[in-house]
């Protein structure tokens, strides 16, 4: 989470008294190479940032961008001088995390004060720098190093130097195996949380964790190599594990036996993620019977499950708050009606691509679950009847997915804009019956931050009205395959300074010049999709000049681009993934991108 202290904030020393005032978190990001916007721009960023209010309410003073302006730098330096820095976060701008900045951080912040460091996807931080970091900040309680190239040896040294760690995240670290986890467990026995998502950790490592770290309450093993045998070995050592949150999604070697063994010894579980597992209805029944505190259950793509499993969840755990049944293609309205009848405090439901669910089930959810804030009905057989009822009876909705609900019309959108004023994210992609009148009505949704209108008939007039009204607060805008919009709409994006993700792929009426004109105003862009557009090399040059935070760029199948673009794309400082034409990827370009740890996705024309 990020908030930004505005530069007009009084620079009062009372913010940083000499006494050790309890400030929950001061998060600092050393991004000295980011161009400094004007004070007015800084104020705008602060006023429109969706997390500013939340940060204020939690009494957390959170700093970002030490290099933004002199006043911010002074404020941050004051906090350092008073020893108030407790957490350092580089996640929001992770491509700027380099060895040099890590070592600068060590020089500027006293080692005994920092309790948490989040480097995000630290692909550019070497193992040597990470070891130096651990040596300097020995009192660390929390460390997050996602997508790093660290190996078992590096992890072992970090564990030796930081024995006080209580939380460690090493997502997507493909070189970490059970060997490194075993060393971690033997040195960091205070661990309460571990995130090893997408790491090839086997049974030996997980067993070592639970043999040594008896207080482990949060465990993420998504796509790990754990098996039923490893789970059984762990469960045989105790009558009760303290686990509260467990993620086993995508663990293909875990089946009914492993899940049943966990259910028997995990009475404190509140959140359980089992997506893509081949488990049966009876296993779900047992889980929800024995885990009496369960409030969140993710069963996405558990293809063996039927209505019986969902009915068991509803009857056994009526206090359930969140359930994900997406892509469980055997589910029908009967299952959804059971959830609606029993789980009346439900705040989130996801039933994407449940082809047998239609109005009847959705109407029951609307009638019985007024606390709903998140609803994913993408691809279900919903019509205006159920969406109107949902809008009228669930006014607290914040995130609604109706993409590919091809039977809904303008009436549904009018009902949503009239009743659901709290919506922050709305997906209407591929809703082919919607007209410009419905799209224009979206301009009244004053809290919208993410808008997905891909493959719709939206035109320039309605899109420009949306941008004029709420464009300044939009973070994500998806217009892929919107063939009716032209360069006029793109020029209007000049007011969308907060925009971080934009997709205008396959919009054939957009010219290169309009994109180049608006790019200087889109300086916060992180993700840009331009696939199949008639852009030129000068567009890529404009990207390099203006979009310094850009991490993901897709220019595949753009016929007018030449090899010159392939040569200058690596100059984008934060780039971590790029989509390009196959004829561009010469050995020379490939080496440059590989050296910068940029993932390349090749498209054929």
């Amino acid at each position: 989470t990020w908030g930004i202290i505005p530069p007009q904030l009084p620079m009062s020393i009372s913010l940083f008294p000499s006494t050790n005032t309890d400030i929950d978190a001061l998060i600092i990001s050393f991004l000295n190479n980011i161009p400094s916007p004007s004070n007015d721009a800084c104020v705008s960023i602060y006023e429109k940032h969706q997390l500013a209010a939340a940060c204020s309410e939690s009494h957390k003073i959170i700093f970002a961008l030490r290099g933004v302006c002199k006043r911010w730098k002074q404020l941050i330096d004051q906090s350092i001088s008073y020893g108030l820095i407790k957490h350092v976060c580089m996640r929001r701008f992770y491509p700027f995390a380099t060895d040099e900045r890590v070592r600068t951080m060590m020089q500027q912040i006293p080692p005994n004060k920092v309790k948490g460091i989040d480097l995000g996807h630290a692909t550019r931080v070497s193992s040597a720098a990470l070891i130096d970091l651990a040596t300097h900040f020995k009192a660390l309680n929390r460390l997050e190093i996602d997508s790093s190239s660290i190996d078992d040896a590096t992890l072992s040294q970090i564990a030796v130097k930081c024995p006080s760690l209580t939380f460690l995240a090493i997502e997507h670290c493909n070189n970490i195996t059970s060997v490194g986890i075993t060393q971690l467990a033997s040195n960091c026995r205070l661990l309460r949380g571990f995130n090893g998502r997408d790491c090839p950790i086997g049974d030996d490592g997980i067993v070592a964790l639970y043999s040594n770290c008896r207080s482990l309450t949060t465990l993420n093993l998504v796509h790990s190599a754990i098996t039923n045998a490893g789970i059984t070995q762990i469960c045989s050592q105790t009558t009760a594990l303290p686990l509260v949150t467990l993620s086993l999604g995508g663990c293909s070697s875990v089946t009914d036996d492993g899940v049943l063994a966990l259910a028997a010894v995990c009475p404190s579980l509140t959140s359980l993620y089992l997506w893509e597992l081949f488990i049966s209805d009876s296993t779900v029944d047992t889980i929800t019977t024995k885990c009496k505190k369960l409030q969140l259950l993710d069963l996405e793509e558990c293809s063996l499950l039927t209505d019986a499993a969902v009915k068991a969840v509803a009857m056994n755990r009526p206090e359930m708050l969140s359930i994900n049944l997406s892509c469980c293609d055997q589910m029908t309205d009967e299952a959804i009606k059971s959830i609606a009848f029993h789980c009346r405090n439900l705040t989130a439901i996801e039933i994407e691509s449940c082809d047998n669910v239609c109005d009847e089930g959705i109407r029951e959810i609307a009638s019985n679950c007024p606390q709903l804030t998140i609803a994913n009905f993408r691809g279900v057989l919903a019509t205006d009847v159920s969406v109107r009822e949902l809008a009228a009876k669930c006014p607290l909705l914040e995130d609604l997915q109706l993409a590919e609900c091809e039977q809904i019309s303008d009436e549904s959108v009018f009902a949503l804009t009239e009743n659901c004023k709290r919506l922050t994210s709305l997906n209407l992609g591929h809703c082919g019956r919607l007209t410009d009148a419905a799209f224009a009505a979206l301009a009244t949704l004053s809290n919208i931050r993410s808008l997905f209108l891909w493959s719709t008939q939206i035109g320039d007039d309605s899109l420009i009205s949306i941008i004029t009204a709420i464009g300044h607060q939009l973070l994500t805008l998806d217009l892929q395959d919107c063939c009716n919009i032209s360069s006029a709409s793109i020029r209007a994006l000049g007011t969308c300074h907060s925009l971080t993700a934009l997709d205008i792929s396959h919009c054939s009426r957009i010219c290169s010049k309009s994109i180049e004109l608006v790019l200087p105003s889109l300086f916060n862009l992180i993700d840009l999709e331009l696939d199949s557009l008639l852009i030129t090399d000068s567009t890529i040059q404009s990207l390099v000049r203006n979009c310094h935070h850009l991490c993901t760029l897709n220019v595949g199948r753009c016929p007018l681009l030449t090899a010159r673009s392939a040569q200058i794309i690596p100059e984008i400082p934060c780039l971590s993934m790029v989509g390009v034409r196959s004829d561009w990827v010469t050995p020379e370009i490939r080496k440059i991108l590989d050296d910068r740890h940029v993932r390349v996705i090749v498209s054929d024309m």
Side-chain angles (χ1 to χ4, degrees):
T1 57
W2 284 78
I4 300 179
I5 302 300
Q8 80 274 20
L9 188 71
M11 299 294 294
S12 171
I13 196 66
S14 63
L15 281 173
F16 305 105
S18 56
T19 58
N20 290 327
T21 303
D22 183 20
I23 298 177
D24 291 334
L26 294 174
I27 300 180
I28 186 170
S29 184
F30 293 85
L31 308 176
N32 298 319
N33 289 345
I34 296 180
S36 299
S38 66
N39 278 1
D40 289 341
C42 297
V43 174
S44 175
I45 291 171
Y46 172 75
E47 290 174 346
K48 307 305 178 185
H49 200 287
Q50 62 178 341
L51 296 175
C55 293
S56 176
E57 290 173 2
S58 64
H59 305 292
K60 291 187 176 183
I61 302 177
I62 298 177
F63 293 96
L65 309 183
R66 182 174 182 269
V68 164
C69 64
K70 291 181 179 179
R71 299 188 70 181
W72 282 7
K73 183 180 184 298
Q74 180 184 355
L75 198 59
I76 292 169
D77 288 346
Q78 275 188 318
S79 67
I80 293 173
S81 66
Y82 282 102
L84 296 175
I85 295 295
K86 293 183 181 180
H87 298 270
V88 178
C89 182
M90 286 178 148
R91 176 170 297 275
R92 168 62 175 79
F93 296 98
Y94 61 84
F96 284 98
T98 62
D99 286 2
E100 180 182 356
R101 287 188 176 83
V102 166
R103 293 192 167 102
T104 298
M105 178 174 64
M106 289 188 287
Q107 294 171 2
Q108 293 183 339
I109 303 180
N112 58 331
K113 296 295 183 179
V114 172
K115 300 300 181 183
I117 294 178
D118 183 354
L119 295 179
H121 305 280
T123 57
R124 298 180 185 180
V125 179
S126 68
S127 292
L130 289 173
I131 293 171
D132 290 344
L133 185 79
T135 303
H136 184 74
F137 296 112
K138 293 181 179 180
L140 277 182
N141 298 140
R142 186 181 185 95
L143 180 60
E144 298 177 61
I145 324 170
D146 303 347
S147 299
S148 174
S149 58
I150 65 170
D151 55 14
D152 289 334
T154 304
L155 180 60
S156 298
Q157 292 197 54
I158 290 173
V160 169
K161 296 177 186 301
C162 299
S164 299
L165 280 177
T166 59
F167 180 85
L168 176 67
I170 49 173
E171 283 191 31
H172 316 296
C173 294
N174 298 324
N175 297 320
I176 299 294
T177 69
S178 291
V179 174
I181 300 303
T182 300
Q183 290 295 316
L184 170 73
S186 63
N187 288 282
C188 300
R189 295 173 180 263
L190 301 178
L191 272 181
R192 294 196 297 268
F194 176 73
N195 182 355
R197 181 182 179 123
D198 294 325
C199 297
I201 304 168
D203 291 339
D204 291 344
I206 306 305
V207 170
L209 270 179
Y210 269 99
S211 297
N212 294 281
C213 307
R214 298 288 184 173
S215 300
L216 207 57
T217 60
T218 301
L219 185 60
N220 186 344
L221 297 176
V222 165
H223 290 141
S224 71
I226 191 171
T227 69
N228 289 339
I231 292 175
T232 302
Q233 186 176 347
I234 291 169
C235 295
S236 66
Q237 299 175 6
T238 182
T239 57
L241 291 173
L243 273 176
V244 175
T245 300
L246 175 62
S247 302
L248 293 173
C251 295
S252 56
S253 296
V254 176
T255 61
D256 285 327
D257 291 343
V259 176
L260 289 172
L262 284 167
V265 296
C266 294
S268 300
L269 271 179
T270 62
S271 301
L272 183 58
Y273 300 83
L274 301 175
W275 45 270
E276 292 183 9
L277 297 193
F278 291 98
I279 55 177
S280 64
D281 291 344
S282 60
T283 296
V284 174
D285 189 359
T286 302
I287 292 168
T288 53
T289 300
K290 294 187 175 182
C291 301
K292 299 185 183 300
K293 296 183 179 181
L294 202 59
Q295 293 185 325
L296 183 153
L297 183 60
D298 190 336
L299 300 171
E300 181 175 357
E301 290 194 57
C302 292
S303 56
L304 300 182
L305 300 183
T306 69
D307 286 353
V310 182
K311 290 179 179 180
V313 173
M315 296 181 67
N316 295 335
R317 299 270 64 82
E319 65 276 14
M320 188 69 66
L321 297 179
S322 176
I323 187 164
N324 187 350
L325 304 169
S326 296
C327 303
C328 295
D329 50 17
Q330 298 189 60
M331 299 299 164
T332 70
D333 281 329
E334 293 304 312
I336 307 307
K337 287 160 64 177
S338 180
I339 287 286
F341 180 78
H342 293 283
C343 305
R344 297 183 178 237
N345 291 323
L346 203 68
T347 60
I349 184 168
E350 298 185 58
I351 52 174
E352 178 179 335
S353 299
C354 291
D355 300 334
N356 298 315
V357 175
C358 56
D359 277 345
E360 190 176 357
I362 297 173
R363 292 183 70 184
E364 287 295 318
I365 290 289
S367 297
N368 294 291
C369 305
Q371 304 300 316
L372 208 62
T373 59
I374 298 173
N376 183 355
F377 299 139
R378 177 172 178 165
V380 303
L381 300 176
T383 70
D384 290 334
V385 174
S386 58
V387 177
R388 282 200 307 265
E389 190 159 350
L390 183 73
K393 296 181 178 179
C394 298
L396 302 181
L397 276 172
E398 297 177 2
D399 186 334
L400 179 60
Q401 304 272 333
L402 293 173
E404 298 173 343
C405 293
E406 298 182 20
Q407 297 183 53
I408 67 171
S409 70
D410 291 0
E411 289 185 35
S412 291
V413 176
F414 294 150
L416 290 169
T417 55
E418 182 178 350
N419 297 288
C420 300
K421 297 296 186 180
R422 296 192 179 193
L423 278 172
T424 60
S425 179
L426 180 62
N427 190 341
L428 298 172
H430 209 282
C431 293
R433 296 182 62 194
L434 301 182
T435 70
D436 267 345
F439 295 124
L442 297 177
T444 64
L445 293 175
S446 58
N447 288 307
I448 281 288
R449 298 294 184 271
S450 298
L451 201 51
F452 303 86
L453 304 175
W454 48 272
S455 298
T456 62
Q457 299 301 312
I458 188 171
D460 283 333
D461 290 343
S462 54
L463 181 55
I464 290 173
S465 68
I466 292 172
I467 294 171
T468 301
I470 59 175
H472 61 277
Q473 66 195 35
L474 283 177
L475 302 178
T476 301
L477 183 60
D478 190 339
L479 300 169
Q480 179 182 355
D481 281 314
C482 291
C483 298
N484 292 333
I485 66 170
S486 70
S487 296
S489 292
I490 302 306
R491 288 192 292 269
L493 290 174
T495 60
C496 301
H497 302 304
S498 299
L499 206 61
T500 60
L502 175 65
D503 190 343
I504 50 175
S505 298
H506 306 284
C507 296
S508 56
R509 298 179 60 199
I510 295 174
C511 72
S512 180
K513 190 63 176 178
S514 64
I515 298 174
E516 293 169 29
L517 288 173
V518 80
L519 282 177
S521 299
L522 303 182
F523 45 79
N524 280 315
L525 273 181
I526 294 174
D527 185 344
L528 181 59
E529 302 282 334
L530 302 175
D531 191 11
S532 302
L533 296 190
L534 297 177
I535 58 174
T536 63
D537 294 341
S538 62
T539 309
I540 304 301
Q541 292 172 341
S542 181
L543 279 173
V544 173
R545 286 195 304 270
N546 297 291
C547 299
H548 298 164
H549 300 166
L550 200 64
C551 299
T552 302
L553 173 65
N554 184 5
V555 289
R557 293 185 288 266
C558 293
L560 301 184
L561 294 181
T562 70
R564 171 59 182 155
S565 289
Q567 294 170 353
I568 61 176
I569 279 177
E571 297 176 17
I572 300 174
C574 293
L575 199 64
S576 61
M577 184 167 68
V578 62
V580 295
R581 298 201 319 249
S582 57
D583 58 313
W584 279 13
V585 189
T586 63
E588 179 185 3
I589 297 298
R590 170 69 77 173
K591 184 179 185 306
I592 294 173
L593 293 171
D594 285 347
D595 289 344
R596 293 179 57 82
H597 304 283
V598 177
R599 180 186 174 194
V600 180
I601 299 176
V602 176
S603 302
D604 293 322
M605 288 295 293

